[in-house]
Amino acid sequence: MSREKSVAVTDAAIDKIKQMIVSGELAPGDRLPKEADLAERLGLSRNSLREAVRALSLINVLDVRQGDGTYVTSLEPRLLLDTMSFVLDLHRDDTVLQFFEVRRILEPAATAMAAEQMTETDIEELRVILDSLPARPTIEELVANDLQFHLRIAQGSGNSVLCSFIESLSGPTTRARIWRGLTQEGAMEKTREQHTAIYEAIAARQADVARSWATVHVAGVESWLRRALELD
């Protein structure tokens, strides 16, 4: 069998398993039928089925447990986006700007949603994160606090898919955040001021104001990085 035909057969096998999940025939946590039975039922060779299962396990749709069988995973967004997160972590410096462009689209939206969705307890937790940053933080403490602050807001949006996307984008932008903290004068103070403004807008339930401050915050880092890359 040619490579092209083999790939096509595997794709067809993947699609058939996917349809079983989409239709509800296989639910999260369900165990797949025995290989021979499933191959016969779907009209596939056992080899094609094996390749399909291997591919779906790589993207966390299926979980192959040696000696126990193959199961559908929980299919939670965070789990399914782990693969994307790994790919994003392999970014090149000249593509990190694109990650910031995506952040500039997603994070302001999540921040506006958080202003409407977060409970008073959630907002208090956000305040605790804000206050936990030392008066004179190290770069590592500043970046860790920044990541925690934005993740809590993303969680507060109430949209688990949006939160997972934002969390996946955190890794590729961490190095740029550290770089900025080390080289840009006033970066620490600016980050603290903007985080405070974002928090206050969320606490006041001012969604549009929260969205604007989040845009300013992310765009500021993106603008700095764009200038820094042009100077290299």
Side-chain angles (χ1 to χ4, degrees), residues 104 107-109 111-112 150 198 209-219:
R104 182 159 42 83
E107 288 205 22
T111 305
H150 288 288
I198 291 170
V209 176
R211 184 198 306 273
S212 297
W213 272 115
T215 302
V216 168
H217 183 55
V218 178

Side-chain angles (χ1 to χ4, degrees), residues 24 37 47 61 65 68 93 102 150 160 167-168 172 175 187 202 204 228:
D37 295 340
N47 186 58
V61 171
R65 304 175 189 173
D68 187 21
D93 285 339
V102 176
H150 288 288
S160 61
E167 188 173 7
S168 295
R175 184 165 55 174
I202 290 175

Side-chain angles (χ1 to χ4, degrees), residues 39-57:
E40 181 179 359
R41 177 176 169 185
L42 297 178
L44 301 168
S45 70
R46 294 178 69 169
N47 186 58
S48 296
L49 178 60
R50 231 173 264 130
E51 289 297 320
V53 168
R54 184 177 295 113
L56 290 170
S57 67

Side-chain angles (χ1 to χ4, degrees), residues 97 99-108 111 146 150 166 173 177 180 194-195 198 211-225:
L97 277 171
F99 298 131
F100 273 104
E101 288 170 356
V102 176
R103 277 192 65 203
R104 182 159 42 83
I105 294 169
L106 297 183
E107 288 205 22
T111 305
D146 183 69
H150 288 288
I166 290 174
T173 60
R177 296 181 197 189
R180 182 201 188 203
Q194 292 174 351
H195 279 190
I198 291 170
R211 184 198 306 273
S212 297
W213 272 115
T215 302
V216 168
H217 183 55
V218 178
V221 184
E222 179 191 340
S223 177
W224 166 83
L225 180 61

Side-chain angles (χ1 to χ4, degrees), residues 3-223:
R3 178 175 176 77
E4 290 78 9
K5 186 173 182 180
S6 176
V7 171
V9 171
T10 300
D11 285 347
I14 290 172
D15 189 60
K16 288 184 178 182
I17 296 174
K18 183 182 74 173
Q19 288 304 317
M20 292 179 71
I21 296 173
V22 171
S23 69
E25 188 175 350
L26 285 173
D30 281 357
R31 179 177 177 175
L32 269 65
K34 291 182 179 179
E35 182 182 271
D37 295 340
L38 185 58
E40 181 179 359
R41 177 176 169 185
L42 297 178
L44 301 168
S45 70
R46 294 178 69 169
N47 186 58
S48 296
L49 178 60
R50 231 173 264 130
E51 289 297 320
V53 168
R54 184 177 295 113
L56 290 170
S57 67
L58 287 173
I59 58 173
N60 295 329
V61 171
L62 296 180
D63 178 19
V64 180
R65 304 175 189 173
Q66 294 299 324
D68 187 21
T70 299
Y71 293 78
V72 179
T73 68
S74 65
L75 301 179
E76 293 180 356
R78 181 189 299 268
L79 180 67
L80 298 179
L81 287 170
D82 275 349
T83 305
M84 186 185 82
S85 180
F86 173 76
V87 173
L88 293 181
D89 282 340
L90 300 178
H91 73 283
R92 306 185 311 275
D93 285 339
D94 61 349
T95 61
V96 72
L97 277 171
Q98 296 178 23
F99 298 131
F100 273 104
E101 288 170 356
V102 176
R103 277 192 65 203
R104 182 159 42 83
I105 294 169
L106 297 183
E107 288 205 22
T111 305
M113 292 167 67
E116 298 173 341
Q117 299 293 329
M118 290 180 85
T119 65
E120 293 303 318
T121 300
D122 293 335
I123 293 174
E124 179 57 31
E125 289 176 2
L126 189 63
R127 180 76 206 188
V128 169
I129 293 171
L130 189 65
D131 290 343
S132 69
L133 186 66
R136 298 177 65 85
T138 63
I139 298 299
E140 291 75 16
E141 288 173 332
L142 178 70
V143 172
N145 185 268
D146 183 69
L147 292 171
Q148 188 180 11
F149 181 79
H150 288 288
L151 178 58
R152 188 64 191 86
I153 291 173
Q155 293 169 339
S157 72
N159 187 310
S160 61
V161 175
L162 179 58
C163 179
S164 295
F165 271 117
I166 290 174
E167 188 173 7
S168 295
L169 290 167
S170 294
T173 60
T174 298
R175 184 165 55 174
R177 296 181 197 189
I178 293 174
W179 184 16
R180 182 201 188 203
L182 287 170
T183 61
Q184 186 181 37
E185 185 178 355
M188 288 190 183
E189 293 76 10
K190 188 171 294 186
T191 296
R192 193 191 298 271
E193 289 171 3
Q194 292 174 351
H195 279 190
T196 299
I198 291 170
Y199 162 78
E200 289 177 348
I202 290 175
R205 305 295 184 183
Q206 296 175 318
D208 289 340
V209 176
R211 184 198 306 273
S212 297
W213 272 115
T215 302
V216 168
H217 183 55
V218 178
V221 184
E222 179 191 340
S223 177

